């Protein structure tokens, strides 16, 4: 199978420098051939800068509109497992969102339609996925910006009912509603519950940037660009969006997510949709609910991509069966897509247990899996940093963040604390249920048993010594790609703005 990356490297080579670069690529691909990967095909770099810019923020803006309603009312295989569960959670959330519109269509039908669409977008050319996610994410961003503007208008009483909301709901029922205990203790527990649960909204979304690196044009230019801007965009959308929600919806509104359990009409809606409905704005609530539905759809799309690429990476490193290395002629690891999709079929539990209940199970399972993944990532980063320093490569990093390694130690402590306390509610009198306890903590022993079991079975050390950590694999190819990269030059003001955005 022809390799487009190699063809790009060889195209136009004529001078000595070009020949040297071609030889670099040949050496890299000889190494890959020696691992017997050529029979399986390879992924392809079909994702552009604008795709990468919106893939991560698009994955982060998914069902947080739904999970915010819940809050208001009260490495490796682990990565693959978490992403598969996230696909299921987004599909389940779609069913919750669709329940806003009264209909007699069985839940299983909606689940099938959403899941089938996500699979189709991932099974063909990677650029299809990138293009669909670009437009999905664009709709989300336009929608959330419009909702923020609407929230400001409603704050000052610009709605049809001329009701000036201000910070009314901060006073009654209050900005902090006690949870599980009275007084200030209950308010702190409510805050901590919201903090833990909010992790679901953007859990593992930053990794979408990294996972797409292997299929991205000019990764050393585009990946740092997307990563550095992701945090600021995320902070803006979440902080301002949450502030708007707290203004337009009361925490005890009967139409919030808990209403699904009681079977009330229009229950389970996003707080944004409820705020619009309370303001008396006709039709707009249905339009926004449709936008939020595309958001959940889009997030599921991104997570299936991430899950399939995680499994593909495991296969390349020999930690998953070789069959998962197989790619079609368009560079898509279709076996990985298929198996991840099958795992996501756990979403059909919604048919018997209810979409809202199953959605909350997936929230708990994926949140703690994401926290564990981040703990592993931070430990890995600290070890990798030590290895870079040992090999004299610390100053050659193409992308650097401030405050390291101290920020990593702080984040590691915080994530461990969140992981251990994520299900504290089940230990309160009358709150314990087996399903809630397992959803909150079952991932912990599974990860520990699998990690130790792998070490015992393969007789490998718990940690590699610093001098044995590989910091060179892939560096030669990345260096060659960087040498070939020709950044686009803006010809006018509009292009300058566009290149800055995407």
């Amino acid at each position: 199978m022809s390799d487009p990356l190699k063809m790009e490297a060889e195209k136009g080579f004529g001078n000595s420098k070009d020949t040297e670069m071609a030889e670099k690529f040949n050496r890299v691909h000889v190494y890959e051939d020696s691992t017997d990967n050529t029979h399986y095909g390879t992924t392809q770099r079909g994702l552009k800068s604008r795709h990468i810019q919106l893939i991560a923020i698009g994955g982060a803006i998914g069902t947080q509109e739904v999970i915010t309603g819940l809050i208001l009312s009260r490495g490796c295989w682990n990565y693959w497992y978490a992403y598969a569960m996230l696909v299921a959670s987004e599909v389940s959330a779609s069913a919750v969102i669709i329940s806003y519109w009264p209909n007699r269509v069985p839940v299983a039908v909606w689940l099938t339609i959403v899941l089938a669409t996500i699979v189709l977008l991932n099974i063909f050319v990677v650029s299809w996925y990138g293009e669909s996610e670009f437009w999905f994410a664009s709709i989300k961003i336009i929608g959330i910006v419009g909702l923020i503007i609407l929230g400001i208008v409603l704050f000052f009483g610009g709605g049809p009912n001329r009701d000036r909301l201000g910070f009314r709901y901060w006073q009654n029922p209050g900005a902090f509603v006690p949870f599980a205990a009275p007084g200030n203790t209950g308010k702190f527990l409510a805050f901590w519950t919201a903090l833990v649960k909010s992790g679901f909204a953007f859990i593992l979304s930053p990794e979408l940037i990294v996972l797409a690196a292997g299929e991205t044009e000019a990764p050393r230019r585009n990946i740092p660009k997307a990563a550095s801007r992701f945090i600021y965009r995320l902070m803006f959308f979440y902080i301002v969006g949450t502030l708007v929600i707290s203004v337009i919806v009361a925490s005890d509104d009967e139409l919030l997510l808990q209403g699904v359990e009681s079977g009330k009409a229009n229950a389970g809606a996003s707080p944004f949709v409820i705020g619009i409905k309370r303001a008396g704005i006709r039709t707009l609530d249905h339009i926004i609910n449709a936008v939020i539905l595309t958001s959940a759809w889009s997030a599921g799309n991104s997570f299936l991509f991430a899950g399939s690429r995680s499994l593909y990476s495991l296969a390349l490193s020999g930690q998953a069966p070789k069959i998962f290395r197989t790619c079609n002629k368009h560079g898509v690891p279709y076996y990985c897509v298929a198996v991840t999709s099958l795992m996501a079929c756990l979403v059909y539990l919604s048919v018997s247990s209810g979409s809202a209940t199953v959605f909350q199970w997936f929230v708990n399972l994926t949140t703690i899996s994401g926290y564990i993944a981040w703990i592993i990532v931070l430990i890995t980063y600290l070890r990798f940093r030590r290895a870079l320093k040992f090999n004299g490569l610390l100053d050659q990093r193409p992308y650097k963040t401030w405050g390291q390694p101290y920020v990593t130690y702080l984040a590691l402590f915080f994530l461990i604390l969140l992981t251990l306390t994520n299900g504290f509610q089940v230990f309160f009198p009358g709150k314990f249920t087996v399903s809630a306890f397992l959803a909150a903590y079952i991932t912990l022993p599974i990860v520990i048993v699998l990690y130790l079991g792998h070490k015992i079975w393969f007789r490998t050390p718990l940690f590699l010594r610093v001098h044995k950590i590989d910091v060179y694999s892939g560096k030669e190819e990345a260096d060659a790609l960087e040498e070939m990269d020709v950044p686009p030059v803006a010809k006018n003001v509009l292009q300058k703005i566009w290149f800055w955005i995407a």
Side-chain angles (χ1 to χ4, degrees), residues 129-307:
Y129 157 75
E131 201 64 36
S132 66
E133 194 55 29
F134 173 81
W135 291 109
F136 269 140
S138 297
I139 293 172
K140 296 181 194 181
I141 292 172
I142 293 171
I144 194 72
V145 170
L147 288 169
I148 290 171
I149 295 172
L150 176 63
I152 295 171
V153 172
L154 295 178
F155 180 92
F156 290 105
N161 57 13
R162 302 302 182 198
D163 183 13
R164 182 169 181 169
L165 296 176
F167 290 104
R168 175 189 305 168
Y169 298 130
W170 288 37
Q171 303 297 324
N172 183 27
F176 288 89
V177 181
F179 174 74
N184 291 332
T185 300
K187 290 180 179 180
F188 172 77
L189 292 177
F191 161 77
W192 194 256
T193 301
L195 182 64
V196 172
K197 298 299 183 185
S198 65
F200 168 78
F202 55 89
I203 204 76
L204 302 186
S205 294
E207 285 87 339
L208 294 174
I209 299 174
V210 181
L211 285 166
E215 297 169 70
T216 303
E217 297 176 353
R220 280 196 177 173
R221 171 165 51 86
N222 291 324
I223 297 302
K225 179 180 176 182
S228 60
R229 295 177 182 178
F230 170 78
I231 182 63
Y232 301 111
R233 291 170 177 172
L234 192 70
M235 288 174 63
F236 172 78
F237 288 126
Y238 274 87
I239 293 176
V240 179
T242 302
L243 178 62
V244 168
I245 287 174
S246 70
V247 167
I248 65 176
V249 183
S251 62
D252 58 355
D253 194 296
E254 62 180 7
L255 293 184
L256 283 172
L257 189 59
Q258 77 272 19
V260 174
E261 300 300 334
S262 62
K264 294 178 180 178
N266 301 133
S270 156
F272 284 119
V273 173
I274 295 173
I276 291 169
K277 190 177 182 68
R278 298 302 189 202
I281 306 175
R282 296 181 180 180
T283 308
L284 185 58
D285 57 328
H286 298 287
I287 296 174
I288 295 302
N289 205 56
V291 171
I292 293 170
L293 177 60
T294 66
S295 296
W297 217 320
S298 166
N301 188 34
S302 290
F303 292 136
L304 180 56
F305 173 86

Side-chain angles (χ1 to χ4, degrees), residues 214 483 488:
E483 286 184 50

Side-chain angles (χ1 to χ4, degrees), residues 40 77 308 311-312 315 320-327 333 335-336 339:
Y40 300 98
W77 278 102
S308 62
L311 185 55
Y312 177 70
K322 288 185 177 181
I323 190 173
F324 293 119
R325 300 180 188 178
T326 308
C327 296
Y335 284 126
C336 297
V339 171

